Amino acid sequence: MKRNFKILFVVILTFMLAACAPQETPPQEEEEASPSNVIVMIADGMGTGQMEVARLFEHGREGELFMETLPHVALARTYSADYDVTDSGAAGTALANAAKTNNGMIGVGPDGEELTSILDIFKEQGKTVGVVSTNTVTDATPAAYVAKTEDRGNQAEIARQIYENEYHIALGGGERFFQPEAQDGEDLIAAFEEKGYEIPRDRNELASIEPTAETRVLGLFHPSFMNYVGDREILESEEPSLVEMSEKAIETAAQNEDGFFLMLEGARVDHASHAADFGGIWREMIDFDEAVEYAVNWAEEDGDTLVIVKSDHETMGIAASEVMDTESFKEIGVSPEYMAQQLEMDEETDNYTAESIREVFSEYANIELSDEEIEEFQDNVWDGNDPEGRLVAEHIVGWEIGSIIAYYYDGGVMHRKTRARSDSTGGHTANTVPVFAYGVGAENFDGILDNTEIPEMIADISGFEYQVQQD
């Protein structure tokens, strides 16, 4: 009995002491930091195959691309509202507006309703915003961030929207869409200049800009797409590289103490992939990877920036095959598109001459075509849907040239016939694409994502409420 009483006494005393002891405050969850700046980098058409080709060509089997060193990695699905395989318009819209749309549409839903761009959300917060591309600044990917149209081909209208909405930075190609011939007689470039924009015309003029907090820049360095990296030397181009444009865009945007949002695109990875141009994929990918390295190094020093590196879709199922002739691909110093421009016409047949076809493949690709192969090429560049019997567009002639070269040197790639039948995309695939992240909030980008989740995540990390559809 006495023993039971002692036990009861100890229990009561223990509870009394516990009640009198000072209570520890539960640890408060630390509020996640929000970045002041966001840099989105898109390699158009990049899948893991394009990465592997570039890595092997540039660094060898034991090397690595800079983007592969980033600490957080995810994969993203890319389907559009109406196709399993997206085009760049629908993919860009998903990445910029957090919503699926039909192939060919920009910044609007399948029914034409206007969507809300992540870039506009940042602009409304007083941040500097802009787009950079080695394509035209009015083409699908940059346009998805700055425009609304049911037809991605309306590039003159997209140029007009960039002007009317006064986006701070636009660097790339596409000058012809701003000229009077495309703008009902108005010189839109002069109109930008009247608004106070800097208008650099080449890499030297771009480099000479010393930005302030008020600086706005429209740099249009080519009438259409900017030239392939591999063609710039032979064309004596004065265009800035993607690294140079990215550097100036970041330097300019960083003048705003409230922060910035930039989309930087290595667009011609996609174009090289369409052409099965393995040397071009290598050069365009390395150009992009160097821009990634610059942006990440800048973000590391800044300490208040999120960098997202991603793709909009994969193009042509590019793969580094076991028997790929890397050295032969690397020795080809120009693009298939440049080769197409060297072909000569036969006035009697309205097709390319057999002699010029033979000479172009021999001179630029070290390939000796047979008579049968030349005849097949002539058939493939003829537009069978044109009742007047015209040749296909010059860039598609380049695609056909690239496919022959890829066949000769054993590059892993979609067959040209499959590409030709891909009416909506010209050879895109539904393969998932990589997403890399660095900086403030980067830890959120892991696992399997849908492409529409990415802008919502960026907005959430940055402390903004995302309203997908505009009122």
Side-chain angles (χ1 to χ4, degrees):
M1 183 70 179
K2 290 181 179 180
R3 184 172 177 272
N4 291 341
F5 177 79
K6 288 180 179 179
I7 293 172
L8 180 61
F9 177 76
V10 170
V11 170
I12 294 171
L13 182 61
T14 300
F15 276 106
M16 291 176 63
L17 291 172
C20 295
Q23 298 298 306
E24 292 186 10
T25 304
Q28 298 294 316
E29 291 187 8
E30 291 186 12
E31 186 175 336
E32 290 188 10
S34 296
S36 292
N37 316 307
V38 174
I39 302 171
V40 170
M41 306 192 71
I42 299 175
D44 199 306
M46 177 184 74
T48 56
Q50 284 81 355
M51 291 176 59
E52 188 65 6
V53 166
R55 186 186 72 85
L56 290 171
F57 279 31
E58 184 73 11
H59 303 295
R61 70 179 65 162
E62 295 182 359
E64 62 186 2
L65 300 173
F66 179 83
M67 70 180 77
E68 294 176 325
T69 70
L70 300 188
H72 296 280
V73 185
L75 292 173
R77 296 190 176 98
T78 65
Y79 64 92
S80 66
D82 59 342
Y83 280 87
D84 292 341
V85 177
T86 188
D87 81 324
S88 289
T93 297
L95 293 173
N97 298 266
K100 299 288 186 182
T101 194
N102 294 338
N103 285 1
M105 291 184 165
I106 295 289
V108 298
D111 296 327
E113 70 278 13
E114 291 191 353
L115 302 171
T116 302
S117 166
I118 184 70
L119 181 143
D120 282 328
I121 291 176
F122 276 73
K123 186 172 185 287
E124 289 168 3
Q125 306 301 318
K127 295 177 182 285
T128 295
V129 297
V131 293
V132 173
S133 179
T134 52
N135 200 330
T136 65
V137 297
T138 51
D139 200 59
T141 303
Y145 286 84
V146 297
K148 323 286 180 190
T149 176
E150 295 186 37
D151 181 1
R152 61 176 286 183
N154 292 332
Q155 294 201 52
E157 169 59 24
I158 293 165
R160 171 67 57 177
Q161 291 186 37
I162 295 173
Y163 170 75
E164 291 176 349
N165 291 316
E166 297 187 358
Y167 296 112
H168 306 102
I169 299 167
L171 302 175
E175 180 185 25
R176 66 190 178 97
F177 298 111
F178 294 76
Q179 292 178 338
E181 294 80 2
Q183 293 292 335
D184 296 325
E186 182 181 4
D187 185 341
L188 203 57
I189 296 174
F192 271 97
E193 197 164 16
E194 289 176 5
K195 282 191 174 185
Y197 281 73
E198 299 277 353
I199 312 290
R201 302 286 185 168
D202 57 34
R203 65 189 307 182
N204 291 328
E205 291 185 7
L206 180 66
S208 69
I209 295 174
E210 297 182 0
T212 67
E214 287 73 39
T215 299
R216 294 181 292 178
V217 187
L218 175 71
L220 303 172
F221 306 107
H222 194 281
S224 183
F225 311 137
M226 296 180 70
N227 285 306
Y228 286 106
V229 172
D231 292 344
R232 292 185 181 183
E233 181 177 354
I234 198 169
L235 294 172
E236 299 181 346
S237 169
E238 294 298 323
E239 300 161 276
S241 68
L242 180 59
V243 175
E244 290 168 330
M245 291 192 293
S246 299
E247 180 177 355
K248 186 58 65 174
I250 293 171
E251 179 188 1
T252 301
Q255 302 300 313
N256 186 344
E257 293 181 356
D258 292 327
F260 63 82
F261 180 98
L262 293 173
M263 191 290 295
L264 315 175
E265 182 194 25
R268 307 222 71 182
V269 174
D270 175 65
H271 299 167
S273 297
H274 276 293
D277 175 14
F278 281 68
I281 291 168
W282 161 48
R283 286 183 283 266
E284 298 298 327
M285 280 291 301
I286 296 305
D287 189 49
F288 178 75
D289 197 50
E290 289 174 351
V292 171
E293 184 172 8
Y294 174 83
V296 169
N297 287 341
W298 186 92
E300 182 178 18
E301 184 175 344
D302 173 69
D304 197 17
T305 299
L306 170 65
V307 181
I308 305 295
V309 180
K310 58 189 178 182
S311 171
D312 56 347
H313 58 76
E314 197 278 337
T315 299
M316 289 292 285
I318 297 296
S321 69
E322 178 186 354
V323 291
M324 179 174 65
D325 189 344
T326 299
E327 293 309 313
S328 292
F329 278 126
K330 291 175 71 172
E331 288 174 4
I332 300 171
V334 296
S335 70
E337 191 171 309
Y338 178 85
M339 297 181 207
Q341 295 165 1
Q342 312 314 308
L343 296 173
E344 297 177 359
M345 293 295 297
D346 184 329
E347 294 182 1
E348 293 185 5
T349 64
D350 288 330
N351 206 322
Y352 298 114
T353 66
E355 182 180 1
S356 71
I357 295 169
R358 193 184 311 277
E359 289 178 353
V360 162
F361 275 91
S362 177
E363 178 179 356
Y364 295 106
N366 197 29
I367 292 172
E368 303 299 328
L369 294 182
S370 68
D371 291 342
E372 291 76 13
E373 288 171 325
I374 290 174
E375 289 179 10
E376 183 180 1
F377 175 79
Q378 289 171 321
D379 289 341
N380 288 340
V381 298
W382 196 260
D383 189 349
N385 296 319
D386 190 330
E388 297 184 20
R390 295 187 179 90
L391 292 170
V392 296
E394 187 178 83
H395 72 279
I396 299 180
V397 177
W399 294 4
E400 295 292 345
I401 291 173
S403 288
I404 293 174
I405 296 171
Y407 170 77
Y408 261 81
Y409 295 135
D410 294 308
V413 65
M414 182 187 295
H415 196 283
R416 61 155 301 278
K417 288 184 179 179
T418 305
R419 177 184 59 208
R421 293 172 59 194
S422 303
D423 293 335
S424 179
T425 68
H428 295 180
T429 74
N431 295 353
T432 55
V433 293
V435 181
F436 301 94
Y438 174 85
V440 182
E443 65 278 2
N444 293 276
F445 294 88
D446 289 311
I448 304 296
L449 306 172
D450 187 83
N451 55 7
T452 58
E453 294 180 77
I454 294 173
E456 290 183 321
M457 292 167 68
I458 292 171
D460 183 60
I461 292 165
S462 302
F464 305 142
E465 183 178 349
Y466 201 103
Q467 182 183 8
V468 173
Q469 184 173 327
Q470 291 181 344
D471 295 327

